Amino acid sequence: MKHEQSLADVRGVMPQAPGRPLIRVSGLEACYNGKPAVRGVSFVIYEGEQLSLLGPSGCGKTTTLRCIAGLETPTAGEIVIDDHIVFSARQGIDIPSERRSLSMVFQSYAIWPHMTVFENVAYPLRLRKERANQIKLRVTEVLRMVGMEAFIDQPATNLSGGQQQRVALARSYAYLPKALLLDEPLSNLDARLRVRMREELKRIQRQFRVTNLYVTHDQEEAMALSDRIIVMRDGVIEQVGKPLDIYDAPCSRFVADFIGAANILNGQVAERRPGEAVVLEIGSARLACAPRVDMPAPNAKGESLVAVRTVYPELRRGSKGTSVNCWPATIKERILLGDIVNYVVEWPGGVLRVQGFPNMLYLEGEPLWLHIPAERAILVDADEER
């Protein structure tokens, strides 16, 4: 989206292939409270893209966001926005945040209680000395976009948490920033409202193709909202990819554990043929795994690790059939959780967690067959130490 375009110009445009690079981060390093928080981070955000920085507290994601916004000063690296260098340690460039053409939505919303909804949204436009008629048109447009047009004259103190969040979004969209930076914007909302606002954010991003950089520790939010996800750990990037690619092919034990639910199984390599399945011995079972070009490093005990998502193993009654990776198993525990059912399954490789649905229930103690598709058994790095 061109910076000069109005929101109306881009209505109805759905995300296509990645646009041109809008923000480039290269070799970024930064400290927080005197300690290294970001270490050599590099990535690109494309125009119209929703990119999420995902990771646990202290991984460096918010510090990275604040460096891009100009609210923190990196110790090394370079940041380029729309082909203009806004920070370069080597060249001594550090453009102030107000000149980077970015908007930011904070966790606390930062709504001014003494102002009406209109005045809150109009504030950044007044700072830029926009004409009064343009301000009125733009404020009305962005409030309609977030479903808050009916509240335009309401005092901010009359708004619920979800409504305040919508006003904060409208204010951020008002002056057509080149990109929107969001720092855990939904974390203060209750669970039901968080899901609803998540859907609204996705709708707005798709409809208007706003470029978003979204920081969160919530993997469900990242999966639901993102075109791509950057998983961070201890100040570095652990993995980058589309949500389903990261879910289905985590590169490390950390990513497999952090995103979704996975069984991490340890075994010895029993067989390996280039381009074909790697076979691990796990207990008394032999598990064929999806091949990887680069064989992950084993753990300290010399064991290779494989991640199996809890949703992919198959439980079946009747005969074994001819499937590879099929063993006799027993249901040791069943936990009904409404929409899903969690099973603890005993098999020749030990114990496995499996997720199913209430339309096909298995009984505790019931013998059956367990099948793990080889393409769903993903070899991962042990990553025991950073």
Side-chain angles (χ1 to χ4, degrees):
M1 184 175 70
K2 298 292 186 188
H3 185 51
E4 298 79 15
Q5 281 183 305
S6 74
L7 294 171
D9 292 333
V10 290
R11 276 203 181 89
V13 178
M14 296 295 288
Q16 306 296 322
R20 66 185 180 90
L22 182 66
I23 298 175
R24 290 188 179 92
V25 177
S26 305
L28 190 70
E29 297 187 8
C31 294
Y32 182 75
N33 288 337
K35 297 181 179 179
V38 179
R39 300 182 286 154
V41 164
S42 300
F43 60 88
V44 174
I45 307 172
Y46 295 96
E47 196 173 41
E49 181 181 37
Q50 168 84 41
L51 178 68
S52 292
L53 299 179
L54 173 66
S57 297
C59 72
K61 56 189 185 295
T62 293
T63 301
T64 300
L65 186 84
R66 290 176 64 85
C67 287
I68 294 171
L71 302 176
E72 301 281 351
T73 302
T75 56
E78 185 175 271
I79 301 170
V80 178
I81 300 175
D82 203 13
D83 294 328
H84 297 288
I85 297 174
V86 298
F87 176 82
S88 173
R90 182 175 58 84
Q91 299 182 51
I93 297 172
D94 190 6
I95 302 299
S97 58
E98 64 270 18
R99 291 172 51 200
R100 297 190 182 192
S101 297
L102 304 173
S103 274
M104 190 159 177
V105 178
F106 297 92
Q107 186 176 347
S108 61
Y109 316 146
I111 296 299
W112 290 288
H114 63 285
M115 294 183 180
T116 65
V117 168
F118 178 90
E119 291 299 328
N120 263 282
V121 178
Y123 183 76
L125 300 175
R126 294 197 195 285
L127 286 180
R128 289 164 177 78
K129 304 187 184 305
E130 297 273 358
R131 294 192 302 272
N133 62 334
Q134 279 297 108
I135 291 175
K136 186 174 181 180
L137 285 172
R138 187 70 55 75
V139 170
T140 302
E141 184 178 18
V142 293
L143 286 174
R144 185 184 302 120
M145 181 176 89
V146 299
M148 288 292 291
E149 187 182 12
F151 296 83
I152 191 168
D153 295 318
Q154 289 285 319
T157 51
N158 289 1
L159 303 179
S160 67
Q163 290 167 339
Q164 289 184 47
Q165 183 61 280
R166 289 169 188 262
V167 172
L169 284 170
R171 184 177 59 198
S172 297
Y173 292 136
Y175 79 96
L176 299 174
K178 292 178 179 178
L180 182 62
L181 313 180
L182 303 102
D183 187 11
E184 310 236 24
L186 308 183
S187 59
N188 288 335
L189 304 178
D190 63 66
R192 189 179 295 274
L193 183 55
R194 195 158 58 240
V195 171
R196 211 158 57 232
M197 283 302 300
R198 193 166 70 198
E199 293 169 352
E200 281 296 301
L201 282 171
K202 187 66 174 179
R203 178 190 65 79
I204 291 168
Q205 198 274 333
R206 282 190 167 179
Q207 185 173 358
F208 297 99
R209 293 211 67 194
V210 180
T211 304
N212 287 350
L213 178 59
Y214 192 98
V215 161
T216 182
H217 66 275
D218 187 322
Q219 53 101 358
E220 285 189 8
E221 271 182 25
M223 292 287 289
L225 288 169
S226 308
D227 297 313
R228 287 188 303 140
I229 296 173
I230 294 176
V231 182
M232 294 188 68
R233 177 193 182 200
D234 297 336
V236 302
I237 292 175
E238 190 83 3
Q239 187 169 357
V240 183
K242 295 178 181 178
L244 195 57
D245 291 343
I246 290 178
Y247 181 85
D248 278 342
C251 68
S252 65
R253 178 175 192 147
F254 171 81
V255 175
D257 275 338
F258 192 78
I259 296 183
N263 298 277
I264 306 296
L265 308 175
N266 301 352
Q268 298 289 340
V269 176
E271 189 177 348
R272 183 185 180 193
R273 295 187 295 273
E276 299 182 24
V278 175
V279 178
L280 297 187
E281 286 186 352
I282 303 172
S284 59
R286 288 170 64 90
L287 173 66
C289 308
R292 273 183 60 171
V293 175
D294 54 330
M295 186 68 178
N299 63 17
K301 297 178 181 179
E303 300 168 321
S304 290
L305 272 58
V306 61
V308 179
R309 295 288 182 197
T310 59
V311 296
Y312 289 140
E314 301 164 2
L315 300 173
R316 62 174 72 149
R317 296 185 175 103
S319 63
K320 172 183 178 181
T322 58
S323 300
V324 178
N325 284 5
C326 198
W327 309 269
T330 305
I331 302 294
K332 301 300 292 182
E333 187 177 357
R334 185 184 75 182
I335 303 169
L336 294 170
L337 298 175
D339 293 336
I340 60 172
V341 186
N342 285 341
Y343 296 101
V344 178
V345 180
E346 193 173 69
W347 66 300
V351 173
L352 201 73
R353 292 174 296 144
V354 179
Q355 202 170 86
F357 298 98
N359 64 328
M360 177 63 76
L361 287 175
Y362 300 101
L363 304 175
E364 291 185 353
E366 181 177 359
L368 36 72
W369 293 98
L370 168 70
H371 175 228
I372 301 176
E375 66 273 15
R376 300 301 188 186
I378 307 300
L379 293 161
V380 296
D381 288 314
D383 65 18
E384 293 172 309
E385 295 184 2
R386 172 59 62 199

